Amino acid sequence: MSAPAGGQGRRTGIRERIIAYFSVLSLLGCGALILVLVYGTPWLGIEGIHGLKEAEIVRALENAADQKKQSILTWLASRRTELAVVANSNDFVGATAALLDQQAASAIPPEDRVRFLCQHLATLKRTVPECYDNLALIAPDRKIIAASEPDQVGNRYRYREFLDAAFAVGAAEQIGTAWGDGHPVILVSRQVVIRDRVGRETGQVLAVLVSVTRPQQSLEALALLPGVADAEGNQMILVGAQGELLASVPERTPELAAQDPLLARLSRQAMTMTESSRLEALPDGRAILSAYRYVPLGVAQGWGIAVAMDQQKAFAPLFSTTARAALFGLAMIAIALVLAGWGGGRVAGPIRELRNTVLALERGNLSARTEAKSGVPQEIADLASAFNSMARRIENSHQDLEREVADRTRELRQEKENARRYLDLAGVMLLLLGSDGCIRMINRAGAQLLGMAPGEPLGLDWFDNFVPHENKKEIREVFEALMRGEQQLLEFYENRILTRDKGERLISWHNILMRDEEGNIQGVLCSGEDITHKRQAELERGELERQLLHTQKLESLGVLAGGIAHDFNNLLMAIGGNLELVRHVVEPESPAIKYLENAYQAIKRAGDLTRQMLAYSGKGGYSVKLVDLNRLVGENVELMKASLRKGATFAVQLQPGLPLLEADPGQIQQVIVNLVTNAIEAAGEGGTITVATGLSDFGVLQLAQSRLEQKPQPGRFLSVDVADNGCGMDHATRERMFDPFFSTKFTGRGLGLSAVQGIVRGHGGAIFVHSEPGGGTRVQVLFPLAVPAGESAVEVAQAEQGKPVARGSVLERAVAKQGDVTELAASGAATSAVAGEHEPEGAMVLIVDDEEMVRLVCRAMLRGLGYRTMVASDGPEAVALFREHADEIGVVIMDLSMPQMDGMTAAEHLRSIRPDVRIVLSSGFSAAEEARRLSGHQGARFIQKPYDLVSLKQVLGQVDPDPSP
Amino acid sequence: MLFTVRCHILILFFLVLMPSGQADAAPSPAGHPAVIEVGVQPLGYPAAMIGAALGHDAILKRELEASGYLLKFVPFRKGSDMVPLMGSSLSAAIVGDMPAIRMAMQSEICVVGVAKKTFTSVVGRNVALLAQLKRKRVAYAEGSSAHHTLLQALASVGLSERDVRLVPMDIDAMPAALEAGRVDAFSAWEPAPTLALTRNTEGRVLFRGASSDFLVISGKLVRNDPQAALALSAAMARALNWMRKSNANLHQAALWTEKEGAALSPRQGKLTQTQVVEITRREILDVPAAPVIVRLPGHLPLKGEFDFLKRLGKLPQDAAYQRVEQAFAYDGLQQVLKSPQRYRLGEFEYRP
């Protein structure tokens, strides 16, 4: 049992319900009874008062009409009989026949016969004066031969149409109506026929006896209809065959009758020669009950009678009675309700007391007991006793239960505390989401991860508060599908969450659905591990691995390119040298000169290619000098203007006062040419290429954007910017633009930007690329500033004139330590020397190279320059030969890369034999590495393969200005 | 007596040998008597009384036999059954308004005079007003004047045949059906209404429509043998005069009628002779000028009934009222009444 809930509204008691039920039943019963009594139920065979009343009214109307009809027929029958008696009397017939037979001799004068006949008629009128206005005997010539008013004798009868019917053959009697003196009249006729001596009719009509009567006076006298015709609102009328109003009760004049809708309706229906009863609605809204009767007056004519009663007035007594009955019923119901209320109170009192006790028990008063008073019904007393017993047991059970509950509560609290500790101990977020997506439970780690205090997230909507907006809809749909059981549980799921400080964490989830005892899904228990750092580390490691792989790939490519370039340089050395030798032995006018020149140009281009490859691999030539960057840029841009497309323009912005750049001018030139060439091709016709130089400081963050794997140290850098407004590059192209052999141009070799990258990398610089599709491209190249900004271009001029600078390049500085660089002889001497194959008389040059072709070419070229030569194919042979001819050999040209003993080792041995030996090192690799290896050695020069006669002469001149041994 | 029996056998012999379809009813050249068949309705009062009187009129019989005719009366339950036979097998008939109009439409007929001026009634049980007939079961005789009266009654309160449940039934079975509750109302002529009201106090006359019966004669018979037609006309006037003469004659005619009705419908309820006499007086004998149909100015006989049938589709749309007028133009009864002695209207010779 529970107390009445406030939200359920106040419930009614037994007494009130008894009263309510009784009221409803009484009202329904009373209403139904009244309805049945008034209107009846045809399917039960009960005819209602209304129907009975209606039938009674109709019957009364019909009776009134029937009585009137019968009275009219009786009245007419009386008139017909009276006329028949007169017309058939022998005296009357005889007198009439005698009067009309003018030729017949008679002792009685005609006047006496007329008087006789008139007395007959007057006597008849006097007998029933209310039934006759006058009587007349009319001859076939339509003249009155006798009348109740003698003064009419001799006149023509006024109702001629009626006479036509009255004289018709066989029409012994006739009844009709006519209009006379402002009122209708009833005409009744009887033929006066001749009979033979035995009384048989001869068929001859002597005259017609006609009576005239005003109907109104006669009808009123005959049959008024008490209670019907004279009641207010009721109407009775008699209508002639043509619809004329003959009489009415209450009396109405014919003129007014046409304007009265009731009379008009009754007249119209009454002349239809039918009899019926009906309920009719008048145009003025009244409803009438009416009865119609037809009074046949002959074979083809008759009168109509109509009796009508206003329905509302007719039923007024019934409605009044019904209303009084309803009021009486309501009064009886009210009395019955009072009695029902009193009886209900008597019945409900003990129950109410018992209820109060039960409510007290329900509210916690376990000591509540009820008391059966005297006079209480036995059932209630038994119920009270049983209740008291039950209450005692409940009280005892309740006490036991409270103790047990207290124990269990303590245990549960302990277990709950333990569980909370277990959860808090967990290193991962433990989260329980209800089916509505709100947090039902979260452990300490979870709250900390969210940046909130323990317990603070409880009740918050997980998706609204902790899921990024862009993922909210998707994750909520997944969650709701889980709650509906439409989707399998996602045990492993990762998504980002938002913390209070608007940070994002990546969480890896393990989920378990929580169900109630019936198996319904109540929520989901989630275990979330913060894998943000782990995933970040994985990403970074992957990126490093990728960069490492890329670097390794590039290094491998560099090694490969360097090796290929080295071997190619040896081959090109042999080819080019031999070509040059051939060109010197062929007549200048020979047609072969042209072909030799073509082949030589091809060798030059092949040499360019190997230089690019070496530049990319970092093994390109490295003739480090102090370079005026503005001048170098300006000269090269000026040269490249010839390559501009139609309408394209150059914009050169050189920052004045730039410090000198310590670099290989050839490679710097290579960088400028490659970048500008790409810019010209990207800008196309009408484009704009901007080349600028500058000096700026760059920090770590800026340098981190460099496209080189090795980022330079922050500091001041000289820069060269090359920009165009061409088509730009997409991301994929930008990523691969420095890859060797990658080109977007049909004829490109894909080595230009690779060489730029290798050159800048070799100079310890950086490269920035800014390009978007359609937005042009800007490439900025940085070179570290090694020379203080104060050093001017004068030093540069000195450097470019071949004079060593105080702080030259690594190689220059190494070579400069010998201090005795000699100039080679002029190339003209070489030309003459080459022309002859004899051993010259000049200094002895030891040629050391493992490549026989190189040895042969070099020897030929040296002989052509006037040197004597000795050759050795490797290091040991060179050392042995030098030990034997140490005084004789002036210069040693030694290849650096040789089997058994490389050039450096061999050079060391040679110096151990004769320390002042002059050595020219040659190699197909770049000079940078060799320069480092030569660092600290005197009398060493370097010549890059492939070299020509001029280069050889020049380098020999530098190491031994006096070629004589 | 023996002679009489022999005569009857002889007449029967002639009836058997006589070919059917003798509507023209002209004496045959071979000397065989022609048959004049007169259709009568023994179940309808007071026309049945006239028919019975005609059937026992020895003067008529002799006059026709003298002209070479054999008179035969054929009983029918209702007038509509006679319509298709008029002009073929029937030479004369006593029928109501509707059959008379339909006969006039399909063949040439002559209306002699009125045989009844009465009401055809719609009688209901536990029904007070005509409008309460809606959805009630109403018995009727298809195509009869009572059917017309029912349609007229329904139309007067805005109802039609579809608004009631029509139950086809013989006239004589209707009072019992109403009493047994098988129908809620019926439409019939006398004596069915009187029988129903007598038996059942809950019965009420809901509607009465004036109707008439007429003695009609085939137009061919009138043309071919006017004297035979006049003999039939005189017999009708004589019959009425005979019945008007005394109550004894009326009771005699009622007895004959009852017998003929019982032969046609054994189950028919019986009216007392007093009731029969009252009906006969009220509906024909006391009707002024009956059986003469007085032509009143502006009065077109059966015009309203004709239009009503046409409006309801019971007559073809091209039906002409002139045929009805022509039927009522016959003056045979006037000729007879002008010479009552010649046509022996005051002499009565009725034999059992």
Side-chain angles (χ1 to χ4, degrees):
Chain A
M1 181 181 291
S2 62
Q8 296 176 345
R10 178 176 172 77
R11 290 176 178 167
T12 55
I14 294 175
R15 180 171 174 271
E16 289 78 9
R17 291 194 179 201
I18 288 174
I19 293 173
Y21 296 155
F22 191 81
S23 302
V24 172
L25 290 175
S26 300
L27 286 173
L28 287 176
C30 185
L33 187 61
I34 289 175
L35 288 175
V36 169
L37 286 176
V38 172
Y39 296 104
T41 51
W43 60 88
L44 295 177
I46 301 174
E47 193 171 1
I49 296 173
H50 186 276
L52 292 172
K53 181 66 177 177
E54 188 176 67
E56 178 189 336
I57 294 170
V58 170
R59 196 173 296 116
L61 291 173
E62 289 177 342
N63 288 338
D66 285 337
Q67 286 180 31
K68 177 58 69 177
K69 175 182 177 180
Q70 195 56 48
S71 70
I72 290 171
L73 288 174
T74 303
W75 185 88
L76 287 173
S78 299
R79 304 292 83 72
R80 289 165 63 191
T81 302
E82 289 161 2
L83 293 181
V85 168
V86 172
N88 290 335
S89 69
N90 291 331
D91 293 342
F92 194 84
V93 174
T96 305
L99 183 63
L100 293 177
D101 188 2
Q102 301 295 333
Q103 281 77 31
S106 175
I108 302 173
E111 295 77 11
D112 292 344
R113 294 189 187 280
V114 170
R115 192 178 304 113
F116 171 76
L117 291 173
C118 288
Q119 284 177 351
H120 265 78
L121 298 180
T123 302
L124 179 57
K125 180 182 177 183
R126 281 197 301 274
T127 304
V128 278
E130 74 277 4
C131 296
Y132 294 109
D133 281 357
N134 61 72
L135 292 147
L137 184 64
I138 298 103
D141 60 358
R142 288 6 180 206
K143 285 187 176 178
I144 300 172
I145 55 177
S148 56
E149 282 76 26
D151 58 335
Q152 294 182 359
V153 174
N155 296 337
R156 282 194 171 276
Y157 199 67
R158 60 190 301 187
Y159 307 114
R160 297 181 64 84
E161 288 186 358
F162 178 76
L163 285 181
D164 292 341
F167 275 101
V169 176
E173 53 185 354
Q174 192 74 19
I175 302 172
T177 58
W179 192 260
D181 301 330
H183 55 78
V185 293
I186 299 174
L187 304 172
V188 180
S189 71
R190 180 76 191 188
Q191 290 180 343
V192 179
V193 296
I194 299 176
R195 296 175 185 270
D196 59 13
R197 278 173 291 183
V198 295
R200 294 181 301 180
E201 293 182 357
T202 63
Q204 183 181 359
V205 178
L206 278 175
V208 172
L209 177 60
V210 182
S211 68
V212 178
T213 307
R214 281 184 291 173
Q216 190 68 33
Q217 59 190 34
S218 302
L219 289 175
E220 286 183 359
L222 278 173
L224 289 175
L225 300 171
V228 176
D230 58 348
E232 184 184 357
N234 295 356
Q235 184 71 56
M236 173 181 282
I237 63 169
L238 175 65
V239 180
Q242 304 303 319
E244 67 275 22
L245 182 64
L246 300 178
S248 58
V249 180
E251 187 174 1
R252 304 291 179 89
T253 61
E255 294 79 14
L256 293 176
Q259 301 169 1
D260 187 341
L262 172 61
L263 289 178
R265 171 66 62 86
L266 295 178
S267 299
R268 190 164 58 249
Q269 183 62 35
M271 61 180 291
T272 58
M273 301 171 68
T274 60
E275 295 185 350
S276 62
S277 301
R278 59 187 64 214
L279 175 64
E280 298 177 288
L282 298 179
D284 57 6
R286 282 184 292 165
I288 59 166
L289 285 164
S290 55
Y292 297 92
R293 289 296 180 263
Y294 175 64
V295 182
L297 301 179
V299 173
Q301 62 177 334
W303 294 343
I305 298 171
V307 184
M309 183 179 286
D310 188 282
Q311 188 200 31
Q312 188 176 0
K313 293 175 180 174
F315 280 95
L318 174 62
F319 292 142
S320 174
T321 302
T322 305
R324 284 195 295 273
L327 287 175
F328 177 74
L330 290 174
M332 294 305 295
I333 288 172
I335 295 172
L337 286 176
V338 172
L339 294 175
W342 176 78
R346 294 275 296 169
V347 172
I351 298 175
R352 189 182 302 116
E353 185 177 344
L354 181 58
R355 181 203 62 175
N356 292 335
T357 307
V358 171
L359 287 176
L361 181 68
E362 191 269 344
R363 291 186 185 113
N365 182 11
L366 298 179
S367 61
R369 301 291 184 273
T370 186
E371 183 180 356
K373 297 178 181 176
S374 61
V376 170
Q378 185 59 44
E379 290 84 353
I380 301 298
D382 293 344
L383 186 61
S385 174
F387 170 75
N388 289 338
S389 174
M390 181 185 70
R392 277 192 297 275
R393 285 201 301 275
I394 289 174
E395 187 176 14
N396 294 335
S397 298
H398 185 264
Q399 291 171 354
D400 295 341
L401 200 60
E402 276 190 336
R403 281 193 295 274
E404 188 173 350
V405 167
D407 294 342
R408 290 293 301 153
T409 302
R410 195 163 46 250
E411 292 172 7
L412 283 174
R413 190 178 297 116
Q414 186 62 40
E415 289 180 4
K416 186 177 179 182
E417 181 62 21
N418 289 340
R420 189 185 61 77
R421 289 173 180 169
Y422 299 153
L423 292 175
D424 289 344
L425 275 178
V428 297
M429 169 190 283
L430 291 174
L431 179 71
L432 175 61
L433 294 182
S435 58
D436 56 353
C438 291
I439 299 173
R440 298 279 184 265
M441 184 279 293
I442 187 168
N443 65 346
R444 185 188 304 274
Q448 288 176 348
L449 185 60
L450 297 176
M452 304 173 87
E456 188 180 356
L458 293 177
L460 295 179
D461 188 292
W462 173 257
F463 303 96
D464 288 343
N465 294 279
F466 303 109
V467 176
H469 178 72
E470 60 272 20
N471 304 122
K472 188 184 299 182
K473 182 180 178 184
E474 173 197 357
I475 296 177
R476 185 181 283 278
E477 285 177 354
V478 171
F479 175 77
E480 289 175 351
L482 279 174
M483 290 300 102
R484 292 193 299 269
E486 296 174 356
Q487 185 167 326
Q488 294 298 320
L489 185 61
L490 299 175
E491 291 195 2
F492 301 100
Y493 188 81
E494 292 180 0
N495 70 278
R496 292 177 295 116
I497 65 170
L498 295 173
T499 60
R500 166 173 274 185
D501 56 359
K502 306 301 180 187
E504 285 192 358
R505 312 299 296 176
L506 182 63
I507 306 298
S508 173
W509 297 102
H510 291 196
N511 305 314
I512 298 174
L513 281 179
M514 303 297 287
R515 298 175 184 270
D516 60 11
E517 293 179 354
E518 285 79 26
N520 299 320
I521 298 172
Q522 299 297 308
V524 59
L525 179 61
C526 312
S527 167
E529 180 185 2
D530 183 4
I531 59 170
T532 308
H533 296 303
K534 180 180 175 184
R535 181 58 47 86
Q536 182 67 26
E538 289 174 356
L539 291 175
E540 290 176 352
R541 185 168 61 248
E543 178 63 19
L544 285 175
E545 287 175 352
R546 190 188 67 79
Q547 290 181 3
L548 182 61
L549 285 174
H550 190 65
T551 303
Q552 288 174 346
K553 182 183 75 174
L554 292 179
E555 285 181 353
S556 299
L557 277 173
V559 171
L560 177 64
I564 292 173
H566 171 260
D567 291 345
F568 263 71
N569 280 340
N570 281 338
L571 295 173
L572 292 173
M573 173 72 203
I575 297 170
N578 282 308
L579 283 176
E580 196 165 14
L581 293 174
V582 170
R583 192 175 58 181
H584 285 90
V585 297
V586 175
E587 291 297 329
E589 295 80 13
S590 173
I593 290 296
K594 180 181 178 184
Y595 303 131
L596 288 173
E597 186 61 30
N598 290 342
Y600 188 74
Q601 290 302 323
I603 295 299
K604 293 278 284 182
R605 291 179 60 184
D608 292 341
L609 187 58
T610 57
R611 256 195 312 280
Q612 298 273 38
M613 293 168 65
L614 286 173
Y616 167 69
S617 66
K619 295 177 180 177
Y622 202 75
S623 178
V624 179
K625 295 179 180 176
L626 290 175
V627 177
D628 181 353
L629 188 59
N630 280 345
R631 180 178 175 185
L632 194 60
V633 170
E635 289 174 357
N636 283 287
V637 169
E638 195 64 30
L639 289 174
M640 295 186 72
K641 281 184 178 176
S643 303
L644 278 176
R645 304 288 172 82
K646 184 180 180 181
T649 57
F650 256 127
V652 182
Q653 301 166 358
L654 304 178
Q655 181 175 336
L658 289 181
L660 297 177
L661 171 66
E662 186 179 2
D664 183 338
Q667 288 195 331
I668 299 303
Q669 180 183 11
Q670 195 174 344
V671 168
I672 294 168
V673 169
N674 284 343
L675 291 179
V676 174
T677 301
N678 281 347
I680 289 172
E681 293 178 352
E685 295 182 353
T688 301
I689 301 98
T690 304
V691 181
T693 59
L695 176 65
S696 300
D697 291 327
F698 289 82
V700 174
L701 291 178
Q702 291 170 294
L703 294 173
Q705 304 299 318
S706 170
R707 295 294 301 269
L708 297 177
E709 300 81 14
Q710 189 172 1
K711 317 298 181 191
Q713 292 299 316
R716 177 159 290 193
F717 291 84
L718 284 166
S719 64
V720 178
D721 284 1
V722 180
D724 65 75
N725 60 350
C727 58
M729 292 180 286
D730 57 13
H731 177 75
T733 306
R734 285 199 309 271
E735 285 297 309
R736 298 190 60 192
M737 62 186 287
F738 292 110
D739 288 357
F741 308 111
F742 172 79
S743 176
T744 59
K745 294 175 287 188
F746 179 71
T747 57
R749 300 186 186 91
L751 285 172
L753 290 176
S754 303
V756 169
Q757 189 187 37
I759 291 168
V760 176
R761 185 193 300 120
H763 284 77
I767 303 176
F768 303 119
V769 178
H770 305 281
S771 180
E772 292 296 333
T777 302
R778 175 175 174 241
V779 180
Q780 186 178 28
V781 178
L782 303 185
F783 296 102
L785 184 63
V787 179
E791 293 189 16
S792 66
V794 178
E795 294 172 319
V796 178
Q798 292 175 349
E800 288 176 351
Q801 287 169 4
K803 297 176 181 176
V805 293
R807 300 175 64 178
S809 67
V810 177
L811 182 60
E812 298 267 346
R813 284 194 292 271
V815 173
K817 289 177 180 176
Q818 293 189 215
D820 53 353
V821 178
T822 58
E823 290 291 337
L824 290 176
S827 60
T831 303
S832 59
V834 171
E837 286 296 323
H838 60 278
E839 187 70 24
E841 296 294 330
M844 176 66 72
V845 177
L846 174 59
I847 303 169
V848 185
D849 203 307
D850 58 337
E851 288 290 339
E852 184 181 7
M853 290 183 298
V854 176
R855 292 196 303 268
L856 293 176
V857 168
C858 184
R859 188 175 68 177
M861 292 171 71
L862 289 173
R863 284 181 178 174
L865 291 174
Y867 292 95
R868 291 179 294 135
T869 60
M870 296 175 70
V871 295
S873 61
D874 54 21
E877 184 182 357
V879 173
L881 198 59
F882 186 78
R883 183 174 289 114
E884 187 178 350
H885 303 281
D887 297 336
E888 187 179 1
I889 295 173
V891 178
V892 179
I893 298 176
M894 181 175 294
D895 186 23
L896 284 171
S897 302
M898 290 183 295
Q900 296 184 19
M901 182 184 291
D902 62 12
M904 292 304 295
T905 306
E908 293 296 332
H909 285 291
L910 295 183
R911 283 204 170 91
S912 64
I913 298 171
R914 199 183 84 188
D916 60 345
V917 61
R918 292 171 173 77
I919 300 173
V920 175
L921 297 173
S922 72
S923 175
F925 289 118
S926 94
E929 187 179 358
E930 307 309 327
R932 284 193 302 274
R933 294 168 64 179
L934 277 172
S935 179
H937 297 281
Q938 295 181 347
R941 282 286 175 178
F942 179 79
I943 186 167
Q944 175 76 48
K945 290 179 183 177
Y947 48 83
D948 54 11
L949 197 59
V950 175
S951 302
L952 184 60
K953 180 182 176 183
Q954 186 176 4
V955 76
L956 287 175
Q958 290 173 353
V959 298
D960 187 13
D962 183 7
S964 301
Chain B
M1 183 66 184
L2 183 61
F3 176 74
T4 306
V5 172
R6 284 177 179 173
C7 284
H8 287 170
I9 295 174
L10 188 60
I11 291 169
L12 187 62
F13 177 75
F14 280 124
L15 285 174
V16 170
L17 294 181
M18 182 187 70
S20 60
Q22 296 289 327
D24 295 342
S28 67
H32 297 295
V35 177
I36 292 179
E37 288 189 358
V38 179
V40 294
Q41 300 183 66
L43 303 180
Y45 294 102
M49 299 279 280
I50 297 174
L54 291 177
H56 293 82
D57 189 349
I59 296 174
L60 171 65
K61 187 176 179 184
R62 273 201 307 275
E63 287 180 350
L64 292 179
E65 284 177 352
S67 301
Y69 293 103
L70 189 62
L71 185 60
K72 181 185 176 185
F73 288 86
V74 184
F76 290 89
R77 284 183 175 274
K78 53 183 185 290
S80 59
D81 296 340
M82 293 185 248
V83 172
L85 303 177
M86 193 63 188
S88 56
S89 63
L90 289 180
S91 300
I94 300 176
V95 293
D97 303 324
M98 302 301 122
I101 294 172
R102 293 169 62 195
M103 283 178 176
M105 291 299 108
Q106 73 171 39
S107 66
E108 185 185 0
I109 63 168
C110 294
V111 178
V112 175
V114 67
K116 180 183 73 172
K117 186 65 183 177
T118 185
F119 292 105
T120 301
S121 305
V122 178
V123 179
R125 184 181 177 189
N126 291 327
V127 179
L129 295 172
L130 198 55
Q132 295 169 350
L133 277 181
K134 194 170 186 178
R135 290 189 288 275
K136 293 285 196 313
R137 297 162 298 174
V138 182
Y140 79 117
E142 172 73 30
S144 66
S145 58
H147 187 192
H148 163 252
T149 300
L150 175 61
L151 298 178
Q152 194 178 13
L154 294 174
S156 70
V157 290
L159 299 178
S160 69
E161 287 179 289
R162 289 188 295 275
D163 296 317
V164 297
R165 295 159 58 189
L166 293 175
V167 182
M169 191 176 288
D170 289 338
I171 296 290
D172 54 317
M174 291 178 182
L178 184 73
E179 186 178 8
R182 293 196 298 274
V183 295
D184 301 303
F186 67 80
S187 178
W189 53 79
E190 293 295 352
T194 300
L195 279 173
L197 297 175
T198 302
R199 288 178 179 180
N200 195 338
T201 56
E202 296 174 342
R204 295 173 60 83
V205 175
L206 303 176
F207 185 87
R208 283 194 183 101
S211 68
S212 304
D213 279 358
F214 301 96
L215 172 62
V216 298
I217 302 176
S218 164
K220 289 183 180 178
L221 179 61
V222 172
R223 275 199 313 274
N224 296 339
D225 197 338
Q227 288 306 314
L230 291 175
L232 285 170
S233 304
M236 180 186 184
R238 186 164 48 241
L240 295 181
N241 287 340
W242 179 66
M243 287 188 288
R244 282 184 179 124
K245 188 176 182 181
S246 69
N247 274 336
N249 293 344
L250 270 173
H251 284 286
Q252 180 60 60
L255 282 175
W256 289 336
T257 304
E258 181 183 347
K259 188 177 177 182
E260 292 173 1
L264 185 62
S265 177
R267 62 179 177 176
Q268 182 191 19
K270 290 182 180 178
L271 293 175
T272 64
Q273 284 212 344
T274 304
Q275 290 173 321
V276 172
V277 168
E278 182 188 344
I279 291 171
T280 305
R281 284 191 182 283
R282 186 179 69 225
E283 298 188 356
I284 184 63
L285 299 181
D286 289 346
V287 174
V292 175
I293 302 172
V294 179
R295 293 179 179 83
L296 299 175
H299 176 72
L300 300 174
L302 299 184
K303 181 65 166 66
E305 288 81 352
F306 175 85
D307 292 338
F308 188 82
L309 286 180
K310 199 171 179 180
R311 189 167 61 249
L312 293 181
K314 304 293 182 184
L315 291 178
Q317 288 301 309
D318 57 351
Y321 174 71
Q322 284 73 16
R323 295 181 65 91
V324 179
E325 275 191 311
Q326 289 170 3
F328 278 87
Y330 179 60
D331 63 346
L333 192 56
Q334 280 79 1
Q335 291 181 49
V336 169
L337 292 172
K338 278 182 179 177
S339 305
Q341 293 180 355
R342 177 184 170 188
Y343 289 101
R344 305 172 71 180
L345 301 182
E347 299 175 28
F348 307 116
E349 194 175 345
Y350 291 93
R351 293 178 180 172

